[in-house]
Amino acid sequence: MSSSTSWVTSRNPDANNIFAIAGVVVKEMYRRKDFYVLLVLIVLITLMLGSVSFFDDDRIVRYLKDACLLLIWLSSLVIAITTAARQIPAERESRTIYPLLAKPVGRGEFVAGKFLGCWVACGIALVGFYFFFGIMSASREHTLPFLVYFQAIWLHWMCLGIVVALVLLGSVVFAAPSSNATICFIVVLGIMFAGGHLNTLALQMRGFRGEVVYALYYAIPHLEWYDVRDFIIHNWGGSGLRLVTHNIDWLVWVGASIYAALYTGMLLGCTWLVFQRRTMTL
Amino acid sequence: MNNVVEIHDLRVEYRSREFGQRSKLAVDGLNLQVHSGEVFGFLGPNGAGKTTTMNVLLGFVNATSGSASIFGVDVREPIARQRIGYLPELTYYYKFLNAQELLRFYARIFRIPRAERDQRIDTVLKLVELDGARRRLIKTYSKGMQQRVGLAQALINNPDLLILDEPTSGLDPVGRMKVREIIQRLKEQGKTVFFSSHELGEVETVCDRVAILHEGKLKVEGRVSDLLQQYQCNLENVFLNIVGYKPQS
């Protein structure tokens, strides 16, 4: 028998495969047009809004920042959900999953690689979006609160980690990527708008229904915690071209990051469990 | 003689998702050995259980009972796939990558060192005659080129065992001839090739041994030359005879 060369004789399961798979996902994102289209749209809409002067209000910059951040949040959710929703179904449809899993790649590594790729791709997109936002904001206010921006981007990114993991779980449960994307969009927006009010709602309900709503309040990942737009819009973090001291409480920031990591890990674990049981028939 | 692939009493049942439906027996008590350095043809009509058997070997499907191993390693272990190359039927590789990037990705999975990686990519791209199109996006490739880039990815780790599922499916006669030449060259290099095909003329030309599966059961296994001598006809007629085909006229 011909013997293979040394690099194929041993293998330890590690991050190599995860990084390789993630690299392909990131490459896909920057070769597709989605991100560029959304960035151009954000820039155009913000510039258009910026050129209008309402009642000579000098606080217009706050409305401008509000609109720009809203667009950034929506665009990032669109990128996260659409990118993650198509990953596994597209691999199955084009059949590329078969030569990939026929190599020494575990299914857990496959799921982790897809997650990492989508998450990093979202992070790159966020940096692009917030870079424009920073320029726009600094040109109007002549201030740049770096630390608050960093904390906001980080929390936004952690939030997208949960969203990506949720969508990946959906992609192994639901057959069609479009239905998965739609369901995830509704769930994510639902959590962001109503998730924080469920406990108040539960208090007004009696009996079993109230308990169910309470349980739901504790079970869902509270994505609304990561939306710190008000901090940025109203400069709660201080101002000036210097590192500010009045930023988001670091303890809260670390706690929110751990909370997001736990939820992401749990959702990815569920994805792996479902995917592991899937029979891959050609 | 070393056995590269060993299958013992393999049984695969697919459970029906519909309530009240019986499960489908895809493979029933299959025993098979593929020896080192041979080209082994895995034949059978559609639905015979060929692809299911390959799916078990590749770890895509778990056996209901029985066992299968590659190079002595249980196929359920990912490490069993370290020394194999697999070409699935009609795959549309990542269209946003070019051939070089695709091969670099797969090479990275096998942890081939960077210097060796580029050398290996050059070798396989020359072998499948895609050297001139290495920087073109895969979405611009013809069907034949797609199949050849598939063959290149299957060879990137210099595998000792190649599993090819209908490697010439959908190719024109020139494309088929090229794939056949590559299989012959791999055989000369001492590689073991395990492939399924419906092109029985091609199987007769390139295979040392064949196995014919029908309704999940192994009907015959042996050297091509022995079968031709035993049945006194070509492989196509041997096949038709074994699967019980009777012409209507």
Side-chain angles (χ1 to χ4, degrees), chain A residues 1-12 14-17 19-25 27-28 30-31 91 93-107 110 114 276 278-282, chain B residues 2 4 14 17 36 51 55 58-61 71 78-79 81-84 86 88-94 96-98 101 105-106 108-113 116 120 137 153 156-160 165 189-191:
Chain A
M1 190 203 300
S2 69
S3 61
S4 293
T5 32
S6 60
W7 34 261
V8 293
T9 53
S10 68
R11 176 189 174 267
N12 296 315
D14 57 44
N16 175 63
N17 293 346
F19 288 138
I21 294 165
V24 172
V25 178
K27 209 166 262 179
E28 182 190 8
Y30 72 69
R31 288 195 179 162
E91 288 267 3
E93 198 185 335
S94 62
R95 301 160 69 97
T96 43
I97 197 165
Y98 302 109
L100 182 57
L101 291 182
K103 294 180 171 46
V105 174
R107 294 193 188 188
F110 177 77
K114 288 292 180 189
Q276 186 77 1
R278 281 272 183 277
T279 294
M280 309 289 292
T281 45
L282 287 161
Chain B
N2 287 336
V4 172
Y14 289 122
R17 285 186 179 185
S36 170
T51 303
N55 284 344
L58 295 161
F60 299 160
V61 171
F71 297 109
I79 194 74
R81 304 191 284 276
Q82 185 75 57
R83 288 165 66 189
I84 69 169
Y86 169 59
E89 187 190 358
L90 295 176
T91 297
Y92 305 97
Y93 293 92
Y94 306 103
F96 50 88
L97 297 181
N98 61 39
E101 289 167 335
F105 163 57
Y106 288 126
R108 196 175 161 191
I109 282 174
F110 284 105
R111 305 180 133 266
I112 304 174
E116 218 169 317
R120 188 76 201 137
L137 288 180
Q153 67 77 25
I156 193 68
N157 58 327
N158 193 16
D160 290 321
D165 191 5
Q189 288 171 20
K191 307 285 183 196

Side-chain angles (χ1 to χ4, degrees), chain B residues 122-174:
Chain B
D122 285 346
T123 308
V124 291
L125 282 176
K126 276 183 188 136
L127 183 74
V128 300
E129 297 174 22
L130 280 177
D131 199 28
R134 63 195 298 160
R135 287 196 175 83
R136 258 173 61 190
L137 288 180
I138 292 171
K139 69 177 174 189
T140 65
Y141 282 12
S142 67
K143 209 172 184 180
M145 289 166 88
Q146 291 251 2
Q147 192 72 346
R148 278 186 280 146
V149 84
L151 202 50
Q153 67 77 25
L155 294 168
I156 193 68
N157 58 327
N158 193 16
D160 290 321
L161 168 66
L162 264 166
I163 299 178
L164 313 175
D165 191 5
E166 314 244 0
T168 55
S169 168
L171 296 185
D172 63 17
V174 179

